[in-house]
Amino acid sequence: MNDFIAARSQMALSLGFHIIFSCIGMVMPIFMAISHYKYLKTGDEIYKGITKAWSMGIAILFATGAVSGTMLSFELGLLWPKFMKHAGPIFGMPFSLEGTAFFVEAIALGFYLYGWKKLNPWFHWFTGLLVGISGLASGILVVSANAWMNSPAGFDYINGKYLNIDPIKAMFNDAWFSQALHMIIAAFVATGFAIAGIHALMILKRKNIKFHSRAFKIAAISASIAAILQPISGDISAKDITQRQPEKLAAMEAHFKTDSASALIIGGIPDVKNEKVKFAVKIPGFLSFLAHGNFKTPVKGLSDFPKNDRPPVSITHYSFQIMVFLGVILMILGFIYLIGIIRKKQWVNNKYLLKFFVIATPLGYIALEAGWTVTEVGRQPWIIYKVMKTADAVTPMPGIAYSFYLFTAIFISLSLIVAFLIYRQIKMVPKLYDPTDKNYILNKK
């Protein structure tokens, strides 16, 4: 493994690991605040138990996310020094604001965890809500920085120099809204279905049924609504990419030849050498419609771009197909569940629906990782689109492969430790609220 591939692999591993905890940090505090609100309004101790259980999980995952996020900050400077030298002064504002949001989140979480019976109940609830708001702000700001890499703005690039820097324009670049919207909704989908799936499993095992049923409902409703909204944000993103990064769209669809009434490709195996797709289902005109709003406008094919500027087609295409396929599955599950909540109450407790949620537990995060693969690999060979190539930004320091192996071992270790701690928290659920309460349900069989 050469140093360039090692650096890219290490960054991909770090981002892929950290993004899971970032999403949990954005979404779980919102779920916690909803449960806490229900407890304050009803006095039901089960909601208090759910709130405490989720808050303990958030504390564990927040600490892990802080570690992986700190590692990422160092990696940006160590692995990509030329990138940070020029890009840092331009898009440093969203990163610095993200740091502020992170500190607010940490302080609010501290108040929340140790504020039971010490703070005014509603102020205590507000500190928990503030954890979620700060987490969402952090996510939007980081995505804004990434969007700048896809749509650089806020500077003039003249004779190899970055002049007339405008940090505000850089932060609110053309891509930030579509990427942030898509990311936030994806975070709710992935985290919501993961949490709902865990509680669905506990219901199927007949453990603390009332506890897990109420927790499941909060997560499932949020995830279902988000899954139904996600195609709207996806359409906004697709139209945005059509205008800004047409070669990325072409790679996503393995669309090699420019033609009128461009077909939408479902599945298929790209044959890059011969510039065609095997075994694909093609819907004539539909790619034109999704990209331009009508069925006849041509969509640029990869053959219109220099070969050295084309993204890796196979990885981008397969990742896009995985993301869309899983997104459709979760959207269907969300529709079924919401129909059950509104019209078909008997569906809600159906064991097959609960099993479907259990199966869906990892699907949102798989789709999320696939989506980020599309975003990052689809931008290649550029680290700053049309300004700086990734190969020109990598560190000249040798031995990056050994660093990649070390970081891989660290992330595997962290994953095992976090899995153990979360498993222990799930086992502790019966101890989190008063067993003498009439609502306390524990099936000991």
Side-chain angles (χ1 to χ4, degrees):
M1 180 184 294
N2 63 46
D3 289 334
F4 176 60
I5 296 300
R8 287 192 61 191
S9 299
Q10 182 173 323
M11 203 70 196
L13 176 68
S14 301
L15 284 167
F17 183 86
H18 179 68
I19 195 173
I20 296 173
F21 299 98
S22 297
C23 289
I24 293 170
M26 286 189 279
V27 176
M28 276 299 295
I30 303 297
F31 292 172
M32 179 184 73
I34 294 171
S35 177
H36 194 175
Y37 177 82
K38 285 182 172 288
Y39 166 64
L40 292 175
K41 294 296 287 184
T42 66
D44 191 330
E45 290 290 323
I46 289 183
Y47 284 118
K48 182 180 179 181
I50 294 169
T51 304
K52 285 193 170 185
W54 281 349
S55 67
M56 292 177 184
I58 289 168
I60 294 168
L61 297 168
F62 178 84
T64 311
V67 171
S68 60
T70 302
M71 293 166 71
L72 266 173
S73 299
F74 282 109
E75 285 177 310
L76 280 171
L78 293 172
L79 298 177
W80 314 102
K82 295 179 183 178
F83 166 71
M84 291 304 294
K85 175 184 176 181
H86 298 293
I90 304 171
F91 77 165
M93 179 175 284
F95 270 134
S96 61
L97 292 175
E98 191 276 335
T100 302
F102 172 78
F103 284 125
V104 171
E105 185 180 4
I107 293 167
L109 182 60
F111 271 105
Y112 190 79
L113 292 174
Y114 297 102
W116 291 98
K117 298 183 180 179
K118 297 181 179 68
L119 300 174
N120 173 278
W122 285 104
F123 179 75
H124 182 220
W125 170 80
F126 175 74
T127 62
L129 181 63
L130 187 59
V131 175
I133 294 171
S134 302
L136 288 171
S138 293
I140 291 170
L141 289 164
V142 169
V143 171
S144 173
N146 179 268
W148 178 84
M149 297 163 68
N150 290 304
S151 180
F155 67 97
D156 294 321
Y157 187 64
I158 303 172
N159 297 326
K161 295 182 179 181
Y162 298 77
L163 306 173
N164 304 321
I165 293 173
D166 183 348
I168 299 296
K169 190 175 180 180
M171 185 165 66
F172 295 107
N173 56 78
D174 290 342
W176 85 270
F177 175 76
S178 61
Q179 281 196 208
L181 178 65
H182 200 59
M183 178 64 206
I184 295 303
I185 296 176
F188 273 90
V189 173
T191 304
F193 277 109
I195 300 302
I198 292 170
H199 289 292
L201 180 63
M202 294 298 104
I203 295 168
L204 289 170
K205 290 186 173 183
R206 309 291 298 171
K207 295 182 178 180
N208 300 314
I209 293 176
K210 284 189 177 180
F211 178 96
H212 289 293
S213 293
R214 294 182 188 182
F216 168 79
K217 187 174 182 180
I218 292 172
I221 289 176
S222 301
S224 298
I225 293 172
I228 292 168
L229 293 175
Q230 188 68 302
I232 299 173
S233 71
D235 182 65
I236 293 171
S237 294
K239 286 181 169 58
D240 178 61
I241 290 171
T242 301
Q243 301 301 319
R244 291 185 302 96
Q245 294 175 293
E247 60 268 62
K248 178 186 283 189
L249 178 69
M252 288 160 55
E253 284 293 330
H255 180 61
F256 290 101
K257 303 293 183 182
T258 302
D259 55 6
S260 59
S262 301
L264 179 71
I265 294 175
I266 300 175
I269 301 173
D271 181 352
V272 178
K273 183 178 180 180
N274 296 309
E275 297 191 345
K276 61 183 181 180
V277 185
K278 300 176 181 177
F279 313 115
V281 175
K282 296 184 179 182
I283 306 176
F286 210 69
L287 180 59
S288 293
F289 175 76
L290 292 176
H292 298 290
N294 67 72
F295 290 95
K296 294 185 179 180
T297 303
V299 175
K300 281 189 176 182
L302 285 164
S303 58
D304 284 4
F305 303 98
K307 288 189 175 181
N308 290 337
D309 290 347
R310 298 179 192 177
V313 177
S314 296
I315 296 175
T316 307
H317 177 69
Y318 293 140
S319 298
F320 180 68
Q321 295 291 313
I322 290 169
M323 179 188 70
V324 172
F325 174 73
L326 295 180
V328 170
I329 294 295
L330 295 176
M331 182 183 68
I332 293 170
L333 177 55
F335 264 121
I336 293 172
Y337 182 74
L338 290 180
I339 291 172
I341 289 287
I342 298 169
R343 299 291 299 273
K344 302 285 186 180
K345 302 294 183 182
Q346 68 273 20
W347 290 6
V348 175
N349 296 318
N350 185 283
K351 67 177 182 179
Y352 294 108
L353 182 61
L354 291 173
K355 287 180 179 179
F356 199 170
F357 269 96
V358 173
I359 293 169
T361 300
L363 299 187
Y365 282 111
I366 296 172
L368 186 75
E369 298 284 4
W372 270 104
T373 301
V374 172
T375 299
E376 294 302 295
V377 177
R379 188 181 61 247
Q380 299 307 312
W382 306 98
I383 192 168
I384 306 175
Y385 183 62
K386 297 296 186 182
V387 175
M388 179 186 288
K389 290 197 172 182
T390 309
D392 297 330
V394 71
T395 178
M397 182 180 70
I400 300 300
Y402 299 107
S403 173
F404 168 62
Y405 300 142
L406 175 62
F407 272 68
T408 301
I410 291 171
F411 284 129
I412 291 173
S413 300
L414 277 174
S415 299
L416 294 174
I417 292 168
V418 170
F420 168 74
L421 291 174
I422 295 299
Y423 173 76
R424 191 178 69 169
Q425 286 302 120
I426 294 172
K427 297 285 285 186
M428 286 176 61
V429 161
K431 302 177 184 179
L432 293 175
Y433 56 102
D434 184 7
T436 63
D437 185 84
K438 64 180 180 180
N439 291 317
Y440 183 85
I441 302 294
L442 176 61
N443 189 324
K444 296 182 179 180
K445 294 182 180 179

